[in-house]
Structures are given as C-alpha cells and as structure tokens.
Amino acid sequence: MSPAEHPLSAAIKPLVTAIGARFVTPEEAGPEDVVLDWEGEPVVAVRLPGLATALDRLLGDAERQYGPLTDLDREAKQRVVRTLEQRGAFTIRHGVETVAAALGVSRFTVYNYLNRETRT
C-alpha cells in the first residue's frame, strides 16, 4: 500500500490540503518534513508549505471570500486585514508589504488598519 493510500493519510488528507501541505514517502522526507508513524512504523511524511506560499494562500482565500481585493471599499479592506491578522499573516516577513500590495494600499494604511483594531 502506498503512503497516500494508508488509512492515516486518508484521515488527515483534508487537513493537509487545507494548510497547503503535501504527502511524501518517509524515505523522501527531509529534516523539515513531519514523519507520521502508525503502530510504530513510519507510513507517510507531510511536507509543509513555505511561509511565502502560506501568505499567498491566505490572500487567495481572502480574494475568494471577498472578491478582487483592490476593488474592495475601505471597510471591507479593514475586515480582510483583521482576518489576515487573526490567521498570522503579519508574522511572516514582509507580510505587511505583501498585503498592502494585494489590497492596493500603502503599508501605512495597513498599519493604520491594524492599529485601529487594537484601539477598539
């Protein structure tokens, strides 16, 4: 049975897909991969996405939810920033710059949106 067909893989596939990860065999696993055991034997490894990919995914999710990000009004852009902050987008290096470019606003505007949330 291939690792992708294992019951453990089937059980966690929705989670792996949701976080943008992918399955690899335990033999292919590198030091950054997470090897999962079943009854004491390694059966599958999960290769996590890079952080830049994670931010792209978060922005893609926001665009699917709200529509084209540059076309949103100020209030909707503030909601997007709030959602991205809750999901950790601004812990990623250059996260503010990347989000600002995606929204079509300045970094200063994104910081204002973030500060507005801490004041309320």
Side-chain angles (χ1 to χ4, degrees), residues 16-106:
V16 169
T17 301
I19 63 172
R22 65 183 178 95
F23 292 118
V24 296
T25 66
E27 297 77 30
E28 296 173 297
E32 300 295 319
D33 298 327
V34 180
V35 178
L36 303 174
D37 292 345
W38 182 272
E39 297 179 351
E41 296 293 322
V43 293
V44 69
V46 177
R47 181 156 296 156
L48 300 170
L51 291 179
T53 304
L55 184 53
D56 289 341
R57 284 189 54 256
L58 290 172
L59 288 168
D61 290 346
E63 193 155 67
R64 280 187 291 284
Q65 182 176 356
Y66 294 99
L69 299 178
T70 56
D71 295 345
L72 300 177
D73 63 20
R74 184 179 51 119
E75 187 176 305
K77 287 180 181 184
Q78 289 171 338
R79 280 195 308 272
V80 168
V81 168
R82 183 174 36 250
T83 300
L84 292 172
E85 182 181 29
Q86 290 169 349
R87 295 184 179 171
F90 302 111
T91 61
I92 298 170
R93 187 171 185 203
H94 302 298
V96 170
E97 292 86 349
T98 303
V99 170
L103 292 173
V105 299
S106 69

